[in-house]
Amino acid sequence: MPLIAKLLVQRIALGLLLLFLVSGLIFAGTMILPGDVAQSILGQSATPEALANLRAELGLNEPAMQRYFNWLGGILTGDLGTALTSGTDIAESIGKRLSNTLFLAFWAAIIAVPLAIFLGLLAVRFKDRWPDKMISAVTLASISIPEFLIGYVLMYLIAVKLRWFPSVAMINDGMSLGDKLSAIALPVAVLTLVVLAHMMRMTRAAILNVMQSAYIETAELKGLNGFQVIFRHAFPNAIAPIVNVVMLNLAYLVVGVVVIEVVFVYPGMGQYLVDHVSKRDVPVVQACGLIFAAVYIGLNMVADIVAILSNPRLRHPK
Amino acid sequence: MSDPLVNVRDLKIGATVYPPGERPHDIEIVHGVSFDLQKGKVLGLIGESGAGKSTIGLASMAYGRGGVKITGGEVWINGRDILQTSVRDVRALRGGEVTYVSQSAAASFNPAKKIMEQVIEAAVEHGKFSKKDAEARARVLFAKLGLPDPDNIGDRYPHQVSGGQLQRCMTALALCPEPDLVVFDEPTTALDVTTQIDVLKAIKEAIRDTGVAALYITHDLAVVAQVSDDIMVLRHGDMVEYGDVDQIINAPREDYTKALVSVRSIEHEEKAPAGDPVLSIRNVTARYKGTKFDVLHNVNADLYPGQTLAVVGESGSGKSTLARVITGLLPPREGEIEFAGRVLSPDLASRTRDDLRELQMIYQMADVAMNPRQTVGTIIGRPLEFYFDMKGAEKRKRIIELLDEIELGEEFIDRYPAELSGGQKQRVCIARALAAKPKMIICDEVTSALDPLVADGILKLLLNLQKIENVAYLFITHDLATVRAISDNIAVMYQGRVQRYGSKSEVLSPPFDDYTDLLLGSVPEMRLGWLEEVIANRKMESAGN
């Protein structure tokens, strides 16, 4: 097997192994959560008989190992179980929430990633001059302000004062794409501001690192202009670190947006998870945790695969 | 005479320096140099490091590396002063009228792009050729430069061809846009001698066939003598001597030029083997972990007390691997190392402290072999503490003795490596090795990174110390002049085998095997016409192809 195929297979296998281990951790973690599901469903006044019955019904009396493998087996066949509190199918309710979260993350990424890379390239081109300093200052400021504050400030200015976009990002299936985009404009803007700085600064650093190389001098001595040197000769060699930080931020867009969802009352995964944590609905928490873990592991795996593929020494061995 | 292509008048170049403990300030590194160059002629710029030769070469493209700035003078190319023209005009000049070949093609090619794409880029960008025509021209140049499979080599990536081939690709890159002037900046210095010859020949013929003018920058006078019409000798940013090649080589006027021409004047009488060997390498076969090929095959050699065994060979011949086996960094697959009458443990971790003490090492890169945050005194004092438990005044006294032995003196004791010159750093490394009172020192290319005159000083010091301390040297080098200067016995290595072994006079006298013949014949000699002669008389292709 060629080296590159071997590396890719290894990396994918590692990702799957990691996911398996994380599933164990999630299960163990929810096991040691304080409190009792039956108690919280039935309330403080429940009789001991009723509690015992409910526990048996929910399968809470079986050994942990067995419950873990039942759970894992269910997930592998697409069955995430039923929510204890509402009795609905988790896969169905998560499916809707997840697609909302992905919708928001997708549009935030579509704007933030190219913008961050473009600003990074611009900062390199005008290194240590005013465009570079301004880009750094603005992006650093935006990452330093708490995201809920940016959210409320934008809401006040754009939704309340200017009335361009709605302040509440409620979306449903009946809306057209345009209506949906208008509804999520503000949360997308906030998310973009939050993830921009990290990606932009990494792009700048990665390309500046490459700009020290002798082949950049060769390109300059060919009479290429600044942007040609950066685009053609520096950028292709900086892809791996840039993709890495982009993937981390994409993962954040999926997993870490609970604050934004609450601020804009957006019906995404984060809110769903928080609701069910407070209700001690363990199967839902487990399912959400596993999905988040899969997103993180999957995106990081993609980053590593891109890094492997972007290395010409691996793509074209001697 | 027609107007010269290049006319440089009173060129002054400055740079900002950041000395430790001082404010950054500007200094002048080239102090008013003038020369001109006719179409189709080659001017050799020669000097030691710090002479300003690369800086002058790049100034002819209006380029300053890092913080280097052109502060005064004029550089006229094709009838205009390029220091006064617009940015756009300078860009048209770079890669169009003037092109550049760097010392390390391996670093100067973009690893992420195919060779062809990079070779034709400037020609296409400046509108000299269409992409198709430029590719056709590149193929012709590949063939002219003697590259294998010229029709397809452009489809490869830089890491897929050898160093010598890549250096020729870089020459093709420079010639592709049909420039008026090519700046060759040490284009063969990083190559093995036998490969250097081929690249040198290819460059010379390409210059002749395309009628391009060239600035040829090198520290090696013998090399520049083969390709230049005129030579300018530079030192510390000043012109020392400027004349045609015949005059500079055969009748130099200035003392500095005479010193360069006659460098490596060390006469070293070889000593006959005496007593029991301090080091015996017996049937050593070795390979690196995880590989399927032996890099050393059944190597045998002896080194006698107070003598020097030179291990000579080109890159990939296994000479540094041999050093790794002796030091225990790479345990051999077969064979053993006998040192001072005992068999050494193959593995470094299980050697005794005395084993470590008696076998010291000096490296090629003195500056990375020292901790930049430690003073010279701390660096030399460390083995005194470690091996002899010396402390306080006793240690200091010994450090000063050692500093005297390496001809530096007490005032160096509190300096940091950054405050030393390359030669001084190497001297400190030598003192550190001597501090352990070793029976033997492995010297791995210790003079390769140094200028010839400085290297000469280091070799003299090493020979002198050998007499005083009766220490044996295993001297690894690719440079035959160094071998002649220092060795008593020689092992010529080729593809992991000892090709030829014996006393210096035996090894360097005919009849030769084909490889030793090629190696000896490839060392540039300081006379005109040497290159053509040696190419005509070769029996064997060089190893680098």
Side-chain angles (χ1 to χ4, degrees):
Chain A
M1 186 159 48
L3 181 61
I4 190 159
K6 200 171 143 197
L7 283 172
L8 290 178
V9 168
Q10 272 177 356
R11 184 61 190 84
I12 291 168
L14 184 68
L16 293 176
L17 176 69
L18 211 54
L19 195 55
F20 175 70
L21 294 177
V22 167
S23 76
L25 271 180
I26 291 173
F27 193 83
T30 50
M31 283 298 94
I32 57 173
L33 279 180
D36 174 26
V37 184
Q39 184 90 61
S40 65
I41 292 174
L42 294 179
Q44 289 300 330
S45 55
T47 61
E49 290 80 18
L51 283 175
N53 283 342
L54 187 60
R55 285 202 191 102
E57 196 183 316
L58 296 174
L60 295 179
N61 296 330
E62 287 168 40
M65 239 3 188
Q66 195 182 338
R67 276 189 287 155
Y68 170 65
F69 282 108
N70 286 345
W71 176 66
L72 200 63
I75 289 166
L76 292 177
T77 53
D79 174 19
L80 296 178
T82 44
L84 295 179
T85 44
S86 59
T88 51
D89 183 42
I90 298 177
E92 199 175 301
S93 24
I94 280 194
K96 190 170 273 173
R97 294 296 190 125
L98 183 62
S99 73
N100 283 348
T101 291
L102 292 179
F103 183 73
L104 183 64
F106 173 80
W107 287 103
I110 282 279
I111 293 170
V113 174
L115 186 63
I117 290 174
F118 173 73
L119 289 177
L121 295 174
L122 208 63
V124 171
R125 174 67 184 84
F126 298 102
K127 188 192 163 221
D128 292 339
R129 308 213 320 243
W130 68 264
D132 178 26
K133 287 177 180 158
M134 200 176 76
I135 291 169
S136 279
V138 171
T139 51
L140 274 183
S142 78
I143 204 177
S144 308
I145 304 170
E147 53 198 276
F148 68 87
L149 187 64
I150 303 181
Y152 285 128
V153 169
L154 284 188
M155 204 187 280
Y156 175 73
L157 290 176
I158 293 175
V160 178
K161 287 282 167 194
L162 297 169
R163 296 181 177 274
W164 287 351
F165 296 110
S167 62
V168 174
M170 294 290 272
I171 61 170
N172 57 57
D173 293 341
M175 293 162 80
S176 70
L177 181 64
D179 289 344
K180 281 188 185 174
L181 289 181
S182 162
I184 63 165
L186 282 182
V188 163
V190 177
L191 285 176
T192 300
L193 286 175
V194 171
V195 296
L196 204 55
H198 193 195
M199 289 193 284
M200 170 269 163
R201 290 185 70 80
M202 195 61 190
T203 304
R204 179 180 180 276
I207 294 180
L208 279 181
N209 192 22
V210 172
M211 292 295 278
Q212 309 290 324
S213 314
Y215 53 82
I216 295 300
E217 185 181 281
T218 308
E220 284 172 353
L221 291 176
K222 281 175 177 173
L224 305 181
N225 70 38
F227 275 117
Q228 284 171 327
V229 172
I230 294 170
F231 268 122
R232 281 193 210 161
H233 290 277
F235 189 60
N237 290 290
I239 284 178
I242 294 176
V243 168
N244 225 316
V245 72
V246 166
M247 288 303 160
L248 272 179
N249 281 283
L250 290 187
Y252 171 81
L253 285 178
V254 175
V255 174
V257 296
V258 59
V259 174
I260 299 296
E261 287 180 4
V262 172
V263 169
F264 290 97
V265 204
Y266 185 78
M269 284 275 283
Q271 258 197 358
Y272 184 69
L273 173 65
V274 172
D275 283 353
H276 288 80
V277 168
S278 58
K279 290 182 200 158
R280 299 222 172 74
D281 194 334
V282 172
V284 174
V285 175
Q286 286 169 339
C288 288
L290 196 61
I291 288 172
F292 286 167
V295 167
Y296 248 105
I297 292 170
L299 287 173
N300 277 299
M301 191 164 76
V302 170
D304 285 354
I305 288 173
V306 170
I308 292 170
L309 290 177
S310 73
N311 184 340
R313 284 173 191 275
L314 293 175
R315 248 185 306 133
H316 307 277
K318 280 199 174 181
Chain B
M1 214 196 244
S2 62
D3 277 352
L5 171 73
V6 184
N7 183 352
V8 173
R9 285 292 146 253
D10 199 26
L11 180 64
K12 291 194 173 90
I13 302 173
T16 310
V17 289
Y18 303 89
E22 277 177 60
R23 279 162 172 259
H25 57 269
D26 288 347
I27 53 162
E28 193 172 82
I29 53 176
V30 174
H31 322 284
V33 166
S34 304
F35 60 86
D36 40 50
L37 183 58
Q38 300 288 339
K39 276 200 168 69
K41 293 288 182 188
V42 180
L43 170 66
L45 295 179
I46 180 149
E48 305 185 292
S49 50
K53 49 196 196 302
S54 291
T55 312
I56 294 171
L58 287 169
S60 67
M61 305 177 81
Y63 189 85
R65 203 175 259 164
V68 170
K69 288 181 293 284
I70 300 167
T71 50
E74 298 162 17
V75 178
W76 292 81
I77 291 178
N78 277 334
R80 68 183 188 294
D81 182 359
I82 62 164
L83 302 183
Q84 304 300 331
T85 55
S86 67
V87 175
R88 180 187 294 263
D89 221 33
V90 167
R91 251 184 235 137
L93 172 101
R94 292 180 188 161
E97 289 164 63
V98 188
T99 56
Y100 182 73
V101 178
S102 75
Q103 171 169 354
S104 167
S108 297
F109 269 96
N110 191 331
K113 287 170 173 287
K114 287 181 182 172
I115 290 170
M116 180 60 92
E117 210 181 322
Q118 304 189 51
V119 167
I120 64 168
E121 187 177 16
V124 175
E125 195 60 42
H126 292 293
K128 296 251 179 147
F129 296 104
S130 70
K131 185 164 180 280
K132 208 168 139 244
D133 290 347
E135 285 180 359
R137 178 169 164 77
R139 285 191 202 98
V140 171
L141 286 168
F142 290 152
K144 189 178 281 178
L145 289 159
L147 284 161
D149 194 11
D151 287 340
N152 300 311
I153 195 167
D155 293 333
R156 300 208 210 158
Y157 283 83
H159 69 271
Q160 293 175 305
V161 304
S162 74
Q165 290 168 357
L166 207 54
Q167 202 69 43
R168 276 177 270 184
C169 290
M170 184 108 204
T171 307
L173 184 154
L175 291 172
C176 190
E178 289 193 328
D180 300 311
L181 173 69
V182 181
V183 179
F184 290 96
D185 192 354
E186 304 261 17
T188 62
T189 306
L191 304 176
D192 284 320
V193 276
T194 60
T195 316
Q196 163 170 290
I197 284 212
D198 290 303
V199 175
L200 213 53
K201 169 173 163 269
I203 289 176
K204 186 170 185 177
E205 287 173 359
I207 291 174
R208 191 188 60 211
D209 295 351
T210 53
V212 69
L215 277 179
Y216 198 101
I217 296 160
T218 176
H219 69 281
D220 190 340
L221 198 50
V223 164
V224 85
Q226 309 309 318
V227 293
S228 307
D229 299 295
D230 293 328
I231 292 179
M232 175 182 275
V233 182
L234 292 156
R235 189 182 198 193
H236 306 320
D238 280 312
M239 189 197 83
V240 174
E241 191 166 357
Y242 181 26
D244 67 47
V245 61
D246 189 43
Q247 180 253 310
I248 297 280
I249 300 296
N250 296 323
R253 287 188 202 105
E254 300 294 323
D255 288 344
Y256 179 67
T257 316
K258 284 177 192 159
L260 281 183
V261 170
S262 64
V263 81
R264 294 296 154 83
S265 49
I266 300 174
E267 293 292 328
H268 170 62
E269 282 290 313
E270 78 179 53
K271 298 185 278 284
D276 294 328
V278 62
L279 175 83
S280 288
I281 304 161
R282 295 218 191 100
N283 307 317
V284 164
T285 298
R287 71 172 56 165
Y288 283 101
K289 225 178 177 170
T291 60
K292 295 194 176 69
F293 305 99
D294 290 332
V295 282
L296 289 177
H297 308 270
N298 198 21
V299 172
N300 285 286
D302 289 319
L303 170 60
Y304 293 90
Q307 300 198 359
T308 303
L309 169 66
V311 178
V312 61
E314 300 183 287
S315 45
S317 63
K319 54 192 195 303
S320 289
T321 307
L322 184 60
R324 292 177 70 87
V325 170
I326 296 169
T327 53
L329 290 171
L330 178 70
R333 240 158 50 80
E334 287 163 29
E336 60 185 24
I337 305 290
E338 198 184 300
F339 179 71
R342 56 187 189 266
V343 174
L344 284 181
S345 149
D347 180 24
L348 180 65
S350 42
R351 291 192 180 175
T352 67
R353 189 172 280 209
D354 256 0
D355 290 342
L356 301 180
R357 181 181 66 76
E358 292 180 347
L359 206 171
Q360 292 289 313
M361 203 156 170
I362 316 172
Y363 307 87
Q364 175 171 3
M365 297 294 189
D367 32 355
V368 293
M370 289 188 284
N371 186 336
R373 303 258 176 219
Q374 290 183 346
T375 61
V376 167
T378 314
I379 291 168
I380 301 177
R382 175 66 189 145
L384 297 176
E385 287 163 29
F386 184 74
Y387 294 118
F388 304 112
D389 281 327
M390 282 193 194
K391 285 187 192 72
E394 186 196 11
K395 187 174 88 176
R396 189 177 164 87
K397 186 166 153 277
R398 178 73 186 127
I399 293 172
I400 292 168
E401 275 174 26
L402 284 162
L403 281 172
D404 285 337
E405 280 194 50
I406 57 168
E407 298 158 13
L408 285 186
E410 190 179 347
E411 69 269 24
F412 281 83
I413 197 164
D414 291 322
R415 296 221 195 147
Y416 287 90
E419 299 169 71
L420 306 178
S421 73
Q424 289 169 339
K425 283 180 200 162
Q426 198 56 285
R427 281 168 194 258
V428 172
C429 288
I430 292 171
R432 177 173 60 182
L434 283 179
K437 290 202 166 290
K439 290 201 164 97
M440 170 187 152
I441 301 178
I442 298 177
C443 306
D444 190 356
E445 301 272 12
V446 291
T447 55
S448 306
L450 301 173
D451 288 316
L453 294 177
V454 179
D456 241 30
I458 296 285
L459 292 181
K460 280 179 188 150
L461 174 71
L462 284 171
L463 285 170
N464 206 12
L465 292 171
Q466 187 167 55
K467 261 184 224 145
I468 302 168
E469 308 268 344
N470 199 36
V471 59
Y473 299 135
L474 183 89
F475 206 96
I476 296 169
T477 181
H478 68 279
D479 181 22
L480 282 153
T482 307
V483 171
R484 282 202 179 91
I486 197 162
S487 65
D488 301 297
N489 287 290
I490 301 176
V492 178
M493 292 199 66
Y494 179 57
Q495 297 183 345
R497 290 188 168 78
V498 174
Q499 183 80 14
R500 192 173 168 91
Y501 173 69
S503 70
K504 176 165 75 171
S505 50
E506 283 163 19
V507 169
L508 299 182
S509 313
F512 297 120
D513 59 284
D514 283 356
Y515 178 70
T516 307
D517 184 51
L518 173 77
L519 189 66
L520 291 175
S522 299
V523 179
E525 289 174 24
M526 214 163 306
R527 58 192 166 86
L528 310 187
W530 164 81
L531 180 64
E532 286 70 16
E533 226 172 83
V534 69
I535 296 275
N537 293 331
R538 274 164 111 177
K539 294 189 202 124
M540 181 181 172
E541 277 296 309
S542 69
N545 291 327

